Amino acid sequence: MAKQYDVLFRLLLLGDSGVGKTCLLCRFTDNEFHPSHISTIGVDFKMKTLEIDGIKVRIQIWDTAGQERYQTITKQYYRRAQGIFLVYDITSERSFQHIMKWASDVDEYAPEKIRKILVGNKSDEVDKRQVATEQGIKLANAYGMDFFETSAFTNHNITETFTRLAEQVLAANKKDLDLLRMSGNEEINLAALEEEEGLYERAASDESKGCWC
Amino acid sequence: MLAWSQTYFAKLQLRPCVVPHQYVIPSQELVRTLHRALEALQLEKRSCAELLAASGEQERMELLQHRERHAAELREQLQEARGGQEDLRNSLQLRDAEVAALHDDIRRLTERNNTKQEVIVKLCDQLTSCLSSGGRSDSQSLTQLQQEVENLKDDMEAYRTQTCFLNSELYQLTHLWRTSSQQETSLMLKCSHLQARLCQEESRYLGVLRQLLENKALEPAQRGAVQKMIADALKGGLKGVIRLDMARDHDEYGFQIVPEYEVEDMKLLAKIQALEIRSHNLLNQEGEDRPLIGRWAQFLAGRSSNDLCSSPELKGLLRGGVPREYRQRVWTWLVRARTRSARERHPQRYQQLCEKSDASPCPASRQIQLDLHRTLTTNQHFSSPSSPALQQLRRVLLAFSWQNPAIGYCQGLNRLAALALLVLQSEEEAFWCLVAVVENILPPDYYTKQLLASQADQRVLKDFLSEKLPRLSAHLQLHSVDVSLVCFNWFLVVFVESLPSDLLLRLWDAFLYEGSKVVFRYALALFKYKEEDILKIQDGVEIHQYLRFFTKTITDGRRLTSIAFSDMNPFPGRLLRNRRVLHLQRLQAELQDLEDQQEEFLTENLTENLTENRRDDKELDVSEDEL
């Protein structure tokens, strides 16, 4: 059976416990929002196929446990990922403060050319907001990342966020395709473009490049 | 003497004065009085004579004195007599009064007597009237009563016959009801068999459709038709088919009987699996559980929950699973047996720890609170935010974080505690169950800061996998599948939320008795059970995807148990222990290396920052300051 995708890569969701990583993922892959899902233990993952610039991109998204002691487990997956979502909760100053810790861990354990994106989740909870949008933008600029405020609850900016990171990863890896092949990273491979009927939905990827908040 | 005689004469003179006024007084009395006066005069004359006869002055003096004395005596006597008279008069008056009182009494008594007599007369009259008229009415009422008794006897007879008739009716109806209920059960059985067949057929149909879809030779039109059929089948809904029967959606512990599948790509497969589970459950409800319950009933008969002692028989029974009606009792015993010494040392441990968590803020409470609503969310007892089970869970977890400060709270413990609460139905027992699992059954450092022992167990599992299932192990390696991506989860929460509830509870029955070897046995058995299916998948990502949910598709629990406890033999405990020690040591060494590298990285970074990347750093510093 031929592969139903052209490129496969792995994205990783990082952030404090309870910021809504699993909810973001469920919203993106199944377009569902469960206010109560079980807490993630260790690492979990889901799959989704996107089509970006005519390329079928299969992404495996790893969802991680936020509690600190799980980091010894989750860190082992950093180096196998091509893109990372750093997620905080706009209603929790604390989770925002911790982004720097997460970012420095990524710098330490992830491959150098890994792409990162900053996500401020729960943008629907305006009344409880503790972290201003400007703070998010500033931090993202400091790290040279894109920044989105999202809401898994209202489905705000979800597809945009995932598609943006996927695009960035694709762009980063397209340049170094040969290099990647040489390095033997099997997970990323450009299969021959096959004319095969896909069942995959088309992801919107034509949003403006300005501010996505 | 002279004086006396003068008074006497005065008296005498008085009398003739009285006499003429009292004509009625007879003359004899006058005579008598005169006689007496005469006598007194004679007496006076004699004494005067004696006085005169006395020879000398001396004698006369003596005589006079004598007379004088006599006169004084008489005067005293007179005085006395007068006193006596007075007394008598007084007593007479008293008597008169008494007599008057007695007369009064007599009068009253007479009156009373009269009234009583009147009453008596009246009563007599009544009696006579009663006697004269009573005879007649008595005989009348007696006949009436006899008549009534006769009537009642008739009625009774009638009722008796009626009752007899109704009894026979009742008997016939019971008979009819019994036969119809027998028919109903047999029909239900037939129905469930038919439903099982239907489920099987449907799952086969879906399987065929799935294979058809994968067939390359299919023409586009046919392919479209097949896709439409699949879409229709999925749209028809699992629920529509399954809700037909009277089986419940949740088991006795509140778990969903058919687990939900969230994987989009696997919906078709998921439905096939759900249908198979359903048909298997329908067919095996009767056949498997009955003998098991019998064996347990026999084993537990006459044993109190305290004197269950370890034995090969108990071990075998636990591997087969504890029937629901005995599970709480057996688990309570297992937990007590594992925590006995700690509980004897601190009998009030749980209460004390609860008080402590009320009194002082716990560092773990934030994470516990976050996880409360993310525990067994599909279970009925934990799905509602207001459920009392959540508060029990919170107390158990807080108490445990004080019980074991080295662990505090680790995500995942919430699931262990929740399962214990569901089965043991007691906060305190659930707490001790958590203590038993974490401190007694699993190796140390399973949940502490670096989860070292948990990580080591993943390597141990890989060793066993390559040994017991070499083909599968090679296949997984070929496709660079990392089983710990799914298995780490299994081990850390002892399969809670990874297995259907009936299998999970059976695993725990044996786990609480035999220890963590059971977790390895089941993990390997799961791979063995689906070995052929996994070998068919030729893509690493797809294998991962399959492994993520395949545990919930196990339909034949008996087969799984038999693989775990017979196919996986020999499974020596010593080997497990040795491998654990080995991998733990290796891990610790690796961790040390990692730490060294980290230090190196940090110092490297520091020097780099100091020299080259000053500008970038400045920007970062600014943003950090502003945060």
Side-chain angles (χ1 to χ4, degrees), chain B residues 579-616:
Chain B
R579 282 189 175 159
R580 274 179 159 164
V581 170
L582 179 78
H583 283 297
L584 200 63
Q585 281 168 353
R586 282 188 194 164
L587 252 169
Q588 274 160 342
E590 283 170 30
L591 216 71
Q592 191 56 49
D593 280 358
L594 209 69
E595 268 171 36
D596 294 346
Q597 277 178 24
Q598 194 175 6
E599 220 153 89
E600 205 174 303
F601 173 87
L602 283 174
T603 48
E604 215 171 87
N605 243 16
L606 203 67
T607 46
E608 260 180 42
N609 287 346
L610 285 170
T611 53
E612 288 169 34
N613 297 337
R614 271 189 178 275
R615 243 175 93 200
D616 289 353

mmCIF file of all heavy atoms in Angstrom, chain B residues 579-616:
data_model
loop_
_atom_site.group_PDB
_atom_site.id
_atom_site.type_symbol
_atom_site.label_atom_id
_atom_site.label_comp_id
_atom_site.label_asym_id
_atom_site.label_seq_id
_atom_site.Cartn_x
_atom_site.Cartn_y
_atom_site.Cartn_z
ATOM 1 N N ARG B 579 16.889 -7.617 36.229
ATOM 2 C CA ARG B 579 16.849 -6.694 35.091
ATOM 3 C C ARG B 579 16.534 -5.274 35.546
ATOM 4 O O ARG B 579 17.070 -4.313 35.001
ATOM 5 C CB ARG B 579 15.800 -7.166 34.077
ATOM 6 C CG ARG B 579 16.322 -8.297 33.265
ATOM 7 C CD ARG B 579 15.447 -8.664 32.119
ATOM 8 N NE ARG B 579 16.124 -9.696 31.328
ATOM 9 C CZ ARG B 579 15.509 -10.519 30.504
ATOM 10 N NH1 ARG B 579 14.200 -10.435 30.347
ATOM 11 N NH2 ARG B 579 16.181 -11.409 29.833
ATOM 12 N N ARG B 580 15.663 -5.198 36.544
ATOM 13 C CA ARG B 580 15.321 -3.865 37.067
ATOM 14 C C ARG B 580 16.560 -3.186 37.634
ATOM 15 O O ARG B 580 16.821 -2.010 37.360
ATOM 16 C CB ARG B 580 14.251 -3.983 38.148
ATOM 17 C CG ARG B 580 12.860 -4.010 37.581
ATOM 18 C CD ARG B 580 11.832 -4.145 38.670
ATOM 19 N NE ARG B 580 10.535 -3.676 38.208
ATOM 20 C CZ ARG B 580 9.388 -3.945 38.811
ATOM 21 N NH1 ARG B 580 9.384 -4.673 39.910
ATOM 22 N NH2 ARG B 580 8.260 -3.489 38.336
ATOM 23 N N VAL B 581 17.301 -3.922 38.412
ATOM 24 C CA VAL B 581 18.500 -3.353 39.030
ATOM 25 C C VAL B 581 19.469 -2.898 37.944
ATOM 26 O O VAL B 581 19.996 -1.786 37.968
ATOM 27 C CB VAL B 581 19.159 -4.394 39.961
ATOM 28 C CG1 VAL B 581 20.525 -3.904 40.421
ATOM 29 C CG2 VAL B 581 18.268 -4.687 41.154
ATOM 30 N N LEU B 582 19.687 -3.779 36.946
ATOM 31 C CA LEU B 582 20.620 -3.483 35.868
ATOM 32 C C LEU B 582 20.245 -2.191 35.137
ATOM 33 O O LEU B 582 21.066 -1.286 34.970
ATOM 34 C CB LEU B 582 20.618 -4.664 34.884
ATOM 35 C CG LEU B 582 21.510 -4.522 33.672
ATOM 36 C CD1 LEU B 582 22.965 -4.794 34.066
ATOM 37 C CD2 LEU B 582 21.077 -5.491 32.565
ATOM 38 N N HIS B 583 18.985 -2.123 34.726
ATOM 39 C CA HIS B 583 18.571 -0.951 33.941
ATOM 40 C C HIS B 583 18.537 0.319 34.776
ATOM 41 O O HIS B 583 18.797 1.400 34.259
ATOM 42 C CB HIS B 583 17.223 -1.211 33.281
ATOM 43 C CG HIS B 583 17.327 -2.089 32.083
ATOM 44 N ND1 HIS B 583 18.027 -1.720 30.962
ATOM 45 C CD2 HIS B 583 16.854 -3.326 31.839
ATOM 46 C CE1 HIS B 583 17.974 -2.696 30.072
ATOM 47 N NE2 HIS B 583 17.265 -3.694 30.579
ATOM 48 N N LEU B 584 18.228 0.155 36.051
ATOM 49 C CA LEU B 584 18.222 1.318 36.922
ATOM 50 C C LEU B 584 19.629 1.901 37.023
ATOM 51 O O LEU B 584 19.824 3.122 36.939
ATOM 52 C CB LEU B 584 17.692 0.921 38.307
ATOM 53 C CG LEU B 584 17.182 2.063 39.170
ATOM 54 C CD1 LEU B 584 15.978 2.735 38.518
ATOM 55 C CD2 LEU B 584 16.796 1.562 40.561
ATOM 56 N N GLN B 585 20.586 1.013 37.154
ATOM 57 C CA GLN B 585 21.978 1.476 37.236
ATOM 58 C C GLN B 585 22.385 2.183 35.948
ATOM 59 O O GLN B 585 22.965 3.268 35.979
ATOM 60 C CB GLN B 585 22.910 0.292 37.493
ATOM 61 C CG GLN B 585 22.912 -0.142 38.954
ATOM 62 C CD GLN B 585 23.601 -1.472 39.158
ATOM 63 O OE1 GLN B 585 23.975 -2.147 38.193
ATOM 64 N NE2 GLN B 585 23.759 -1.863 40.425
ATOM 65 N N ARG B 586 22.046 1.565 34.811
ATOM 66 C CA ARG B 586 22.403 2.176 33.528
ATOM 67 C C ARG B 586 21.768 3.555 33.385
ATOM 68 O O ARG B 586 22.410 4.510 32.953
ATOM 69 C CB ARG B 586 21.912 1.292 32.370
ATOM 70 C CG ARG B 586 22.805 0.115 32.131
ATOM 71 C CD ARG B 586 22.386 -0.589 30.864
ATOM 72 N NE ARG B 586 23.014 -1.895 30.774
ATOM 73 C CZ ARG B 586 22.608 -2.856 29.950
ATOM 74 N NH1 ARG B 586 21.561 -2.651 29.177
ATOM 75 N NH2 ARG B 586 23.235 -3.999 29.900
ATOM 76 N N LEU B 587 20.495 3.616 33.749
ATOM 77 C CA LEU B 587 19.773 4.886 33.646
ATOM 78 C C LEU B 587 20.427 5.969 34.484
ATOM 79 O O LEU B 587 20.586 7.111 34.039
ATOM 80 C CB LEU B 587 18.337 4.697 34.127
ATOM 81 C CG LEU B 587 17.261 4.717 33.056
ATOM 82 C CD1 LEU B 587 15.947 4.260 33.627
ATOM 83 C CD2 LEU B 587 17.120 6.112 32.474
ATOM 84 N N GLN B 588 20.777 5.573 35.701
ATOM 85 C CA GLN B 588 21.390 6.550 36.586
ATOM 86 C C GLN B 588 22.693 7.078 35.996
ATOM 87 O O GLN B 588 22.966 8.276 36.036
ATOM 88 C CB GLN B 588 21.630 5.941 37.972
ATOM 89 C CG GLN B 588 20.397 6.079 38.841
ATOM 90 C CD GLN B 588 20.379 5.115 40.007
ATOM 91 O OE1 GLN B 588 21.116 4.110 39.997
ATOM 92 N NE2 GLN B 588 19.560 5.395 41.002
ATOM 93 N N ALA B 589 23.444 6.147 35.394
ATOM 94 C CA ALA B 589 24.710 6.550 34.761
ATOM 95 C C ALA B 589 24.442 7.516 33.612
ATOM 96 O O ALA B 589 25.093 8.549 33.473
ATOM 97 C CB ALA B 589 25.454 5.313 34.268
ATOM 98 N N GLU B 590 23.431 7.171 32.788
ATOM 99 C CA GLU B 590 23.096 8.042 31.653
ATOM 100 C C GLU B 590 22.666 9.424 32.121
ATOM 101 O O GLU B 590 23.022 10.445 31.537
ATOM 102 C CB GLU B 590 21.965 7.422 30.823
ATOM 103 C CG GLU B 590 22.442 6.290 29.941
ATOM 104 C CD GLU B 590 21.268 5.549 29.323
ATOM 105 O OE1 GLU B 590 20.213 6.171 29.096
ATOM 106 O OE2 GLU B 590 21.410 4.328 29.079
ATOM 107 N N LEU B 591 21.885 9.394 33.193
ATOM 108 C CA LEU B 591 21.389 10.652 33.732
ATOM 109 C C LEU B 591 22.535 11.530 34.200
ATOM 110 O O LEU B 591 22.539 12.746 34.012
ATOM 111 C CB LEU B 591 20.429 10.361 34.881
ATOM 112 C CG LEU B 591 19.261 11.306 34.965
ATOM 113 C CD1 LEU B 591 18.286 11.077 33.841
ATOM 114 C CD2 LEU B 591 18.575 11.152 36.313
ATOM 115 N N GLN B 592 23.524 10.862 34.786
ATOM 116 C CA GLN B 592 24.690 11.598 35.260
ATOM 117 C C GLN B 592 25.408 12.243 34.074
ATOM 118 O O GLN B 592 25.758 13.422 34.114
ATOM 119 C CB GLN B 592 25.633 10.627 36.016
ATOM 120 C CG GLN B 592 26.745 11.315 36.777
ATOM 121 C CD GLN B 592 26.200 12.340 37.773
ATOM 122 O OE1 GLN B 592 25.290 12.014 38.554
ATOM 123 N NE2 GLN B 592 26.720 13.551 37.734
ATOM 124 N N ASP B 593 25.549 11.449 32.998
ATOM 125 C CA ASP B 593 26.173 11.975 31.772
ATOM 126 C C ASP B 593 25.432 13.205 31.283
ATOM 127 O O ASP B 593 26.026 14.218 30.922
ATOM 128 C CB ASP B 593 26.133 10.905 30.667
ATOM 129 C CG ASP B 593 27.249 9.889 30.849
ATOM 130 O OD1 ASP B 593 28.040 10.067 31.809
ATOM 131 O OD2 ASP B 593 27.315 8.921 30.065
ATOM 132 N N LEU B 594 24.098 13.042 31.263
ATOM 133 C CA LEU B 594 23.251 14.122 30.771
ATOM 134 C C LEU B 594 23.453 15.389 31.580
ATOM 135 O O LEU B 594 23.532 16.495 31.047
ATOM 136 C CB LEU B 594 21.792 13.670 30.839
ATOM 137 C CG LEU B 594 20.848 14.277 29.802
ATOM 138 C CD1 LEU B 594 21.173 13.763 28.411
ATOM 139 C CD2 LEU B 594 19.409 13.966 30.168
ATOM 140 N N GLU B 595 23.535 15.194 32.889
ATOM 141 C CA GLU B 595 23.730 16.351 33.759
ATOM 142 C C GLU B 595 25.068 17.029 33.475
ATOM 143 O O GLU B 595 25.159 18.260 33.443
ATOM 144 C CB GLU B 595 23.653 15.928 35.231
ATOM 145 C CG GLU B 595 22.233 16.059 35.784
ATOM 146 C CD GLU B 595 22.100 15.439 37.154
ATOM 147 O OE1 GLU B 595 23.069 15.530 37.933
ATOM 148 O OE2 GLU B 595 21.045 14.850 37.435
ATOM 149 N N ASP B 596 26.069 16.188 33.253
ATOM 150 C CA ASP B 596 27.390 16.738 32.932
ATOM 151 C C ASP B 596 27.317 17.556 31.654
ATOM 152 O O ASP B 596 27.835 18.679 31.574
ATOM 153 C CB ASP B 596 28.417 15.606 32.777
ATOM 154 C CG ASP B 596 28.635 14.894 34.097
ATOM 155 O OD1 ASP B 596 28.209 15.439 35.145
ATOM 156 O OD2 ASP B 596 29.215 13.781 34.085
ATOM 157 N N GLN B 597 26.646 16.969 30.648
ATOM 158 C CA GLN B 597 26.504 17.672 29.370
ATOM 159 C C GLN B 597 25.808 19.003 29.553
ATOM 160 O O GLN B 597 26.175 20.013 28.974
ATOM 161 C CB GLN B 597 25.678 16.821 28.401
ATOM 162 C CG GLN B 597 26.506 15.763 27.678
ATOM 163 C CD GLN B 597 25.605 14.926 26.772
ATOM 164 O OE1 GLN B 597 24.540 15.367 26.361
ATOM 165 N NE2 GLN B 597 26.051 13.712 26.491
ATOM 166 N N GLN B 598 24.766 18.927 30.394
ATOM 167 C CA GLN B 598 23.969 20.129 30.642
ATOM 168 C C GLN B 598 24.848 21.236 31.214
ATOM 169 O O GLN B 598 24.779 22.391 30.785
ATOM 170 C CB GLN B 598 22.871 19.770 31.635
ATOM 171 C CG GLN B 598 21.787 20.807 31.717
ATOM 172 C CD GLN B 598 20.658 20.330 32.624
ATOM 173 O OE1 GLN B 598 20.768 19.286 33.258
ATOM 174 N NE2 GLN B 598 19.605 21.096 32.684
ATOM 175 N N GLU B 599 25.672 20.848 32.154
ATOM 176 C CA GLU B 599 26.558 21.824 32.779
ATOM 177 C C GLU B 599 27.483 22.436 31.737
ATOM 178 O O GLU B 599 27.686 23.654 31.680
ATOM 179 C CB GLU B 599 27.366 21.133 33.869
ATOM 180 C CG GLU B 599 27.520 22.006 35.105
ATOM 181 C CD GLU B 599 27.701 21.153 36.322
ATOM 182 O OE1 GLU B 599 28.863 20.831 36.619
ATOM 183 O OE2 GLU B 599 26.699 20.769 36.954
ATOM 184 N N GLU B 600 27.988 21.536 30.896
ATOM 185 C CA GLU B 600 28.888 21.950 29.824
ATOM 186 C C GLU B 600 28.190 22.968 28.918
ATOM 187 O O GLU B 600 28.711 24.026 28.614
ATOM 188 C CB GLU B 600 29.273 20.714 29.003
ATOM 189 C CG GLU B 600 30.593 20.812 28.272
ATOM 190 C CD GLU B 600 30.886 19.473 27.631
ATOM 191 O OE1 GLU B 600 30.932 18.442 28.350
ATOM 192 O OE2 GLU B 600 31.031 19.448 26.393
ATOM 193 N N PHE B 601 26.960 22.588 28.559
ATOM 194 C CA PHE B 601 26.153 23.446 27.689
ATOM 195 C C PHE B 601 25.963 24.824 28.312
ATOM 196 O O PHE B 601 26.094 25.851 27.661
ATOM 197 C CB PHE B 601 24.788 22.774 27.456
ATOM 198 C CG PHE B 601 23.790 23.615 26.719
ATOM 199 C CD1 PHE B 601 23.753 23.623 25.322
ATOM 200 C CD2 PHE B 601 22.872 24.405 27.409
ATOM 201 C CE1 PHE B 601 22.826 24.390 24.645
ATOM 202 C CE2 PHE B 601 21.939 25.171 26.733
ATOM 203 C CZ PHE B 601 21.923 25.159 25.342
ATOM 204 N N LEU B 602 25.675 24.789 29.599
ATOM 205 C CA LEU B 602 25.406 26.056 30.283
ATOM 206 C C LEU B 602 26.635 26.958 30.305
ATOM 207 O O LEU B 602 26.543 28.142 30.014
ATOM 208 C CB LEU B 602 24.907 25.800 31.699
ATOM 209 C CG LEU B 602 23.445 25.354 31.779
ATOM 210 C CD1 LEU B 602 23.074 24.975 33.212
ATOM 211 C CD2 LEU B 602 22.501 26.437 31.260
ATOM 212 N N THR B 603 27.749 26.352 30.632
ATOM 213 C CA THR B 603 28.965 27.169 30.682
ATOM 214 C C THR B 603 29.319 27.663 29.291
ATOM 215 O O THR B 603 29.702 28.820 29.102
ATOM 216 C CB THR B 603 30.133 26.363 31.273
ATOM 217 O OG1 THR B 603 30.174 25.095 30.632
ATOM 218 C CG2 THR B 603 30.010 26.190 32.767
ATOM 219 N N GLU B 604 29.144 26.790 28.286
ATOM 220 C CA GLU B 604 29.408 27.159 26.897
ATOM 221 C C GLU B 604 28.554 28.354 26.490
ATOM 222 O O GLU B 604 29.022 29.343 25.961
ATOM 223 C CB GLU B 604 29.058 25.970 26.002
ATOM 224 C CG GLU B 604 29.959 25.805 24.798
ATOM 225 C CD GLU B 604 29.661 24.478 24.129
ATOM 226 O OE1 GLU B 604 28.742 24.465 23.268
ATOM 227 O OE2 GLU B 604 30.302 23.464 24.465
ATOM 228 N N ASN B 605 27.271 28.219 26.809
ATOM 229 C CA ASN B 605 26.308 29.262 26.497
ATOM 230 C C ASN B 605 26.701 30.599 27.125
ATOM 231 O O ASN B 605 26.598 31.644 26.518
ATOM 232 C CB ASN B 605 24.931 28.856 27.030
ATOM 233 C CG ASN B 605 23.948 28.698 25.877
ATOM 234 O OD1 ASN B 605 24.371 28.608 24.714
ATOM 235 N ND2 ASN B 605 22.686 28.662 26.201
ATOM 236 N N LEU B 606 27.143 30.460 28.349
ATOM 237 C CA LEU B 606 27.492 31.648 29.104
ATOM 238 C C LEU B 606 28.621 32.407 28.426
ATOM 239 O O LEU B 606 28.542 33.608 28.203
ATOM 240 C CB LEU B 606 27.886 31.240 30.531
ATOM 241 C CG LEU B 606 27.756 32.331 31.586
ATOM 242 C CD1 LEU B 606 26.297 32.694 31.802
ATOM 243 C CD2 LEU B 606 28.404 31.866 32.879
ATOM 244 N N THR B 607 29.658 31.638 28.054
ATOM 245 C CA THR B 607 30.797 32.296 27.400
ATOM 246 C C THR B 607 30.383 32.862 26.062
ATOM 247 O O THR B 607 30.749 33.969 25.702
ATOM 248 C CB THR B 607 31.973 31.313 27.208
ATOM 249 O OG1 THR B 607 31.447 30.098 26.686
ATOM 250 C CG2 THR B 607 32.685 31.058 28.522
ATOM 251 N N GLU B 608 29.560 32.105 25.310
ATOM 252 C CA GLU B 608 29.078 32.596 24.014
ATOM 253 C C GLU B 608 28.330 33.905 24.182
ATOM 254 O O GLU B 608 28.546 34.865 23.461
ATOM 255 C CB GLU B 608 28.130 31.562 23.384
ATOM 256 C CG GLU B 608 28.807 30.712 22.337
ATOM 257 C CD GLU B 608 27.823 29.705 21.757
ATOM 258 O OE1 GLU B 608 26.655 30.086 21.505
ATOM 259 O OE2 GLU B 608 28.228 28.553 21.559
ATOM 260 N N ASN B 609 27.432 33.890 25.164
ATOM 261 C CA ASN B 609 26.628 35.085 25.400
ATOM 262 C C ASN B 609 27.506 36.281 25.717
ATOM 263 O O ASN B 609 27.241 37.391 25.299
ATOM 264 C CB ASN B 609 25.664 34.850 26.570
ATOM 265 C CG ASN B 609 24.541 33.931 26.140
ATOM 266 O OD1 ASN B 609 24.355 33.700 24.942
ATOM 267 N ND2 ASN B 609 23.826 33.415 27.111
ATOM 268 N N LEU B 610 28.548 35.991 26.469
ATOM 269 C CA LEU B 610 29.417 37.079 26.881
ATOM 270 C C LEU B 610 30.175 37.679 25.713
ATOM 271 O O LEU B 610 30.453 38.866 25.682
ATOM 272 C CB LEU B 610 30.402 36.584 27.944
ATOM 273 C CG LEU B 610 29.797 36.380 29.337
ATOM 274 C CD1 LEU B 610 30.772 35.662 30.240
ATOM 275 C CD2 LEU B 610 29.371 37.712 29.942
ATOM 276 N N THR B 611 30.471 36.831 24.731
ATOM 277 C CA THR B 611 31.290 37.343 23.629
ATOM 278 C C THR B 611 30.461 37.747 22.425
ATOM 279 O O THR B 611 30.398 38.933 22.077
ATOM 280 C CB THR B 611 32.331 36.290 23.216
ATOM 281 O OG1 THR B 611 31.635 35.069 22.950
ATOM 282 C CG2 THR B 611 33.355 36.096 24.319
ATOM 283 N N GLU B 612 29.760 36.766 21.796
ATOM 284 C CA GLU B 612 29.202 37.042 20.471
ATOM 285 C C GLU B 612 27.792 37.634 20.482
ATOM 286 O O GLU B 612 27.535 38.639 19.831
ATOM 287 C CB GLU B 612 29.173 35.741 19.651
ATOM 288 C CG GLU B 612 30.574 35.329 19.227
ATOM 289 C CD GLU B 612 30.566 33.916 18.661
ATOM 290 O OE1 GLU B 612 29.555 33.551 18.015
ATOM 291 O OE2 GLU B 612 31.532 33.175 18.878
ATOM 292 N N ASN B 613 26.918 36.970 21.214
ATOM 293 C CA ASN B 613 25.496 37.274 21.028
ATOM 294 C C ASN B 613 24.997 38.381 21.956
ATOM 295 O O ASN B 613 23.896 38.315 22.470
ATOM 296 C CB ASN B 613 24.645 36.012 21.237
ATOM 297 C CG ASN B 613 24.975 34.967 20.200
ATOM 298 O OD1 ASN B 613 25.479 35.312 19.131
ATOM 299 N ND2 ASN B 613 24.708 33.731 20.517
ATOM 300 N N ARG B 614 25.798 39.332 22.142
ATOM 301 C CA ARG B 614 25.414 40.370 23.085
ATOM 302 C C ARG B 614 24.111 41.071 22.701
ATOM 303 O O ARG B 614 23.261 41.328 23.536
ATOM 304 C CB ARG B 614 26.527 41.405 23.214
ATOM 305 C CG ARG B 614 27.513 41.019 24.283
ATOM 306 C CD ARG B 614 28.479 42.133 24.577
ATOM 307 N NE ARG B 614 29.376 41.722 25.636
ATOM 308 C CZ ARG B 614 29.108 41.830 26.911
ATOM 309 N NH1 ARG B 614 27.954 42.333 27.291
ATOM 310 N NH2 ARG B 614 29.959 41.425 27.825
ATOM 311 N N ARG B 615 23.945 41.357 21.410
ATOM 312 C CA ARG B 615 22.787 42.130 20.984
ATOM 313 C C ARG B 615 21.482 41.370 21.229
ATOM 314 O O ARG B 615 20.543 41.892 21.809
ATOM 315 C CB ARG B 615 22.921 42.494 19.510
ATOM 316 C CG ARG B 615 23.010 44.001 19.325
ATOM 317 C CD ARG B 615 23.258 44.298 17.875
ATOM 318 N NE ARG B 615 22.033 44.532 17.151
ATOM 319 C CZ ARG B 615 21.938 44.426 15.836
ATOM 320 N NH1 ARG B 615 22.969 44.027 15.128
ATOM 321 N NH2 ARG B 615 20.824 44.691 15.224
ATOM 322 N N ASP B 616 21.492 40.116 20.806
ATOM 323 C CA ASP B 616 20.300 39.291 20.992
ATOM 324 C C ASP B 616 19.940 39.206 22.468
ATOM 325 O O ASP B 616 18.791 39.298 22.859
ATOM 326 C CB ASP B 616 20.531 37.861 20.462
ATOM 327 C CG ASP B 616 20.598 37.885 18.943
ATOM 328 O OD1 ASP B 616 20.328 38.975 18.388
ATOM 329 O OD2 ASP B 616 20.910 36.839 18.357
#
